[in-house]
């Protein structure tokens, strides 16, 4: 038998294996003493901030797309962004590049809306960390 720590199961699948028995389910938890010195609390806060930036990034994707300038207002209304989408002119007259962040759980709905609004050349990239 093989015992493996599994989070997604992709390694098992890649090697032609399958899970037959779950031995233990677990999760990582951060625990701190109720009374910390200022220095200890600062370290804890930095750690929590860094962990949250990675977890938040996993729930979102970076999107880049090209759009005709007449469609930018409609596209800005579709994209949630962090504050607002970034819009930069392209070398091609009348076109812009739009950059934003979209939530993973509504990815396909947003893509469909963007395409209907005139977006094309859509690129989706994973985000490693998001610092808010």
């Amino acid at each position: 038998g093989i015992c493996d720590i599994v989070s997604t199961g992709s390694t098992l699948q890649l090697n032609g294996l399958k899970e037959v028995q779950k031995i233990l389910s677990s999760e990582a938890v951060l625990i701190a003493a109720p009374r910390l010195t200022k220095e200890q609390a600062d370290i804890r806060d930095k750690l929590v901030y860094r962990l949250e930036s990675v977890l938040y990034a996993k729930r979102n994707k970076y999107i880049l797309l090209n759009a005709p300038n007449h469609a930018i207002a409609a596209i800005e209304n579709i994209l949630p962004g962090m504050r607002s989408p970034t819009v930069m002119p392209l070398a091609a007259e009348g076109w812009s590049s739009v950059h934003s962040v979209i939530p993973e759980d509504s990815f396909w709905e947003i893509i469909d809306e963007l395409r209907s609004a005139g977006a094309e050349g859509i690129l989706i990239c994973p985000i490693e960390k998001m610092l808010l």
Side-chain angles (χ1 to χ4, degrees):
I2 297 172
C3 193
D4 190 19
I5 297 173
V6 178
S7 62
T8 64
S10 59
T11 304
L12 291 174
Q13 187 176 11
L14 189 66
N15 291 290
L17 303 171
K18 65 178 184 170
E19 180 183 312
V20 293
Q21 178 69 40
K22 186 179 287 189
I23 297 170
L24 173 71
S25 293
S26 64
E27 67 178 333
V29 178
L30 178 64
I31 299 172
R35 288 184 267 285
L36 298 174
T37 65
K38 171 143 178 41
E39 183 180 341
Q40 291 169 327
D42 289 345
I43 292 169
R44 179 212 47 218
D45 293 345
K46 284 181 184 178
L47 177 60
V48 168
Y49 178 75
R50 293 172 185 183
L51 290 171
E52 286 175 343
S53 77
V54 173
L55 294 173
Y56 190 73
K58 286 184 178 190
R59 294 188 305 266
N60 293 278
K61 298 291 180 208
Y62 187 73
I63 183 170
L64 300 88
L65 59 92
N66 294 333
N69 288 342
H70 66 81
I72 297 297
I75 288 171
E76 286 177 337
N77 287 330
I78 297 167
L79 292 173
M82 292 174 67
R83 178 157 299 171
S84 74
T86 300
V87 179
M88 296 181 291
L90 292 177
E93 185 81 23
W95 285 81
S96 292
S97 175
V98 181
H99 301 230
S100 191
V101 173
I102 60 174
E104 175 75 36
D105 61 359
S106 57
F107 170 84
W108 287 113
E109 294 80 11
I110 292 172
I111 296 301
D112 290 341
E113 288 182 56
L114 290 170
R115 290 182 68 218
S116 293
E120 56 184 60
I122 301 171
L123 300 176
I124 308 298
C125 303
I127 301 171
E128 187 175 324
K129 294 172 187 68
M130 283 185 72
L131 308 174
L132 301 175

